[in-house]
């Protein structure tokens, strides 16, 4: 981190974010910030924000990193899902940055990050009026399965693995939700109790759609979040660890990543969508910020 922002705890990262919002005139957060380092990034609605970052094995966590240059953070990710309100409207953004390792992602963390980024970019590209949200959500699962097969975490034939539903253990939430004067706005309209719009394809694997907050075709002027993720939660993975579609040995190499989620706010236009979130998310920029070179 740049020297003036050097931090060693989740609470300090939250404080820097909230202070930055206040300094720019945003007095309130849209929701309680989620600031999760290391494997705690696998908890979707982590709200403790009270743990120190993971330290290297030979360095006591009581050292003062502002003055002790031998004090090393172990390689890990820091997931920040936090946004402010502006003129009574909510925002909702998530970014993941490397911590330790000279501000660079580990090989495994970078591969998972790039997987999630690919999921998100494909869904943003496909988002336009008349496309059903279920269809976009399924697309994100398809890409996740493709990429986890490439990494060797999943094994088998693509169609069979996808239809098994095992990817839901790595991605146990919906692609996003409507956004407005509330951060989940408005549940009754976004997911009506009687819904004749749901595609027949969605009935093939109900587990994929269990946690969707939006189940409608997109329309012009809708404002939604697009926030796919990939997580290594021991609780979510426990029921599927013995699945024939999971390579346990390879999975073990990635579990320390914890989790990655990338979230932007988009506005549906006549022929596509506009991304309203301006903060960058490419690996090169994130590593430049985390290493202090920017």
């Amino acid at each position: 981190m740049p020297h003036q922002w050097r931090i060693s705890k989740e609470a300090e990262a939250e404080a820097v974010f909230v202070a930055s919002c206040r300094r720019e005139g945003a007095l309130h957060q849209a929701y309680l910030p989620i600031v999760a380092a290391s494997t705690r990034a696998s908890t979707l609605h982590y709200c403790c924000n009270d743990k120190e970052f993971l330290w290297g094995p030979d360095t006591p966590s009581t050292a003062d990193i502002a003055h002790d240059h031998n004090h090393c953070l172990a390689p890990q990710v820091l997931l920040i899902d936090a946004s402010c309100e502006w003129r009574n409207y909510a925002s909702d953004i998530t970014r993941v940055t490397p911590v330790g390792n000279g501000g660079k992602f580990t090989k495994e963390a970078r591969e998972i990050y790039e997987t999630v980024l690919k999921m998100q970019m494909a869904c943003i590209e496909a988002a336009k009026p008349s496309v059903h949200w279920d269809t976009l959500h399924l697309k994100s699962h398809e890409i996740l399965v493709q990429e986890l097969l490439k990494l060797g975490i999943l094994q088998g034939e693509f169609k069979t693995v996808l239809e098994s539903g095992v990817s839901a253990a790595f991605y146990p939430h919906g692609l996003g939700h409507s956004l407005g004067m509330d951060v989940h706005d408005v549940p009754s309209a976004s997911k009506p109790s009687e819904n004749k719009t749901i595609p027949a394809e969605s009935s093939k694997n109900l587990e994929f759609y269990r946690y969707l907050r939006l189940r409608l075709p997109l329309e012009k002027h809708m404002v939604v979040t697009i926030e796919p993720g990939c997580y290594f939660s021991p609780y979510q993975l426990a029921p599927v660890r013995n699945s024939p579609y999971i390579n346990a040995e390879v999975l073990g190499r990635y579990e320390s990543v914890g989790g990655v989620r990338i979230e932007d706010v988009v506005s549906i236009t006549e022929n596509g969508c506009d991304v309203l979130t301006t903060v960058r998310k490419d690996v090169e920029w994130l590593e430049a910020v985390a290493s202090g070179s920017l």
Side-chain angles (χ1 to χ4, degrees):
M1 292 292 179
H3 297 300
Q4 62 268 38
W5 297 112
R6 196 167 286 180
I7 55 178
S8 61
K9 301 175 182 177
E10 294 165 346
E12 293 170 349
E14 179 183 4
V16 168
F17 178 83
V18 173
S20 298
C21 293
R22 296 292 294 254
R23 187 169 56 243
E24 296 298 325
L27 300 182
H28 304 290
Q29 296 295 294
Y31 51 93
L32 290 175
I34 298 169
V35 183
S38 186
T39 55
R40 294 181 293 279
S42 68
T43 301
L44 299 187
H45 290 103
Y46 178 80
C47 59
C48 298
N49 304 351
D50 63 350
K51 303 295 189 298
E52 290 191 5
F53 295 162
L54 181 65
W55 301 101
D58 299 323
T59 309
S61 62
T62 55
D64 179 0
I65 64 170
H67 302 96
D68 185 348
H69 299 292
N70 294 318
H71 190 44
C72 296
L73 289 163
Q76 63 201 283
V77 300
L78 175 63
L79 184 153
I80 300 180
D81 183 340
S83 294
C84 60
E85 288 185 357
W86 185 254
R87 297 181 178 177
N88 296 321
Y89 281 88
S91 56
D92 194 353
I93 302 165
T94 305
R95 288 293 184 266
V96 173
T97 182
V99 172
N101 200 39
K104 305 292 185 182
F105 285 110
T106 63
K107 172 184 177 293
E108 291 79 11
R110 181 171 183 145
E111 288 170 341
I112 298 303
Y113 185 90
E114 289 178 338
T115 291
V116 176
L117 184 59
K118 186 174 291 188
M119 294 163 67
Q120 195 209 32
M121 296 302 291
C123 291
I124 289 174
E125 180 69 22
K128 61 182 180 180
S130 80
V131 174
H132 202 284
W133 194 249
D134 282 30
T135 303
L136 285 183
H137 183 67
L138 178 59
K139 177 183 285 290
S140 67
H141 268 281
E142 290 172 342
I143 296 171
L144 178 61
V145 170
Q146 289 170 354
E147 296 304 308
L148 294 187
L149 283 169
K150 290 178 186 177
L151 295 176
I153 296 172
L154 295 180
Q155 57 191 7
E157 193 272 330
F158 167 76
K159 187 173 184 292
T160 304
V161 175
L162 179 69
E163 291 179 350
S164 76
V166 70
S167 58
F170 296 88
Y171 178 20
H173 63 78
L175 177 63
H177 51 82
S178 300
L179 188 72
M181 297 186 78
D182 195 358
V183 73
H184 296 142
D185 197 354
V186 175
S188 59
S190 299
K191 191 177 179 179
S193 55
E194 293 188 16
N195 191 348
K196 297 181 180 180
T197 72
I198 295 177
E201 180 77 11
S202 298
S203 64
K204 294 182 179 178
N205 198 320
L206 298 178
E207 190 63 29
F208 283 173
Y209 310 96
R210 181 186 300 273
Y211 300 110
L212 262 62
R213 297 178 185 270
L214 174 61
R215 300 204 71 178
L216 293 171
L218 293 172
E219 298 179 20
K220 185 180 179 181
H221 301 310
M222 277 185 172
V223 176
V224 298
T225 68
I226 295 183
E227 50 175 307
C230 179
Y231 312 86
F232 298 90
S233 165
Y235 308 105
Q236 295 290 340
L237 291 174
V240 299
R241 280 193 182 275
N242 294 324
S243 166
Y245 306 114
I246 290 180
N247 185 317
E249 181 181 351
V250 178
L251 172 62
R253 299 203 297 266
Y254 287 84
E255 289 191 74
S256 63
V257 173
V260 170
R261 180 169 62 256
I262 306 172
E263 178 178 19
D264 289 324
V265 177
V266 307
S267 174
I268 305 302
T269 62
E270 187 172 354
N271 299 307
C273 70
D274 289 335
V275 179
L276 304 183
T277 307
T278 58
V279 64
R280 288 171 60 176
K281 55 195 174 187
D282 55 284
V283 169
E284 293 72 22
W285 183 80
L286 289 168
E287 291 187 339
V289 171
S291 66
S293 62
L294 280 183

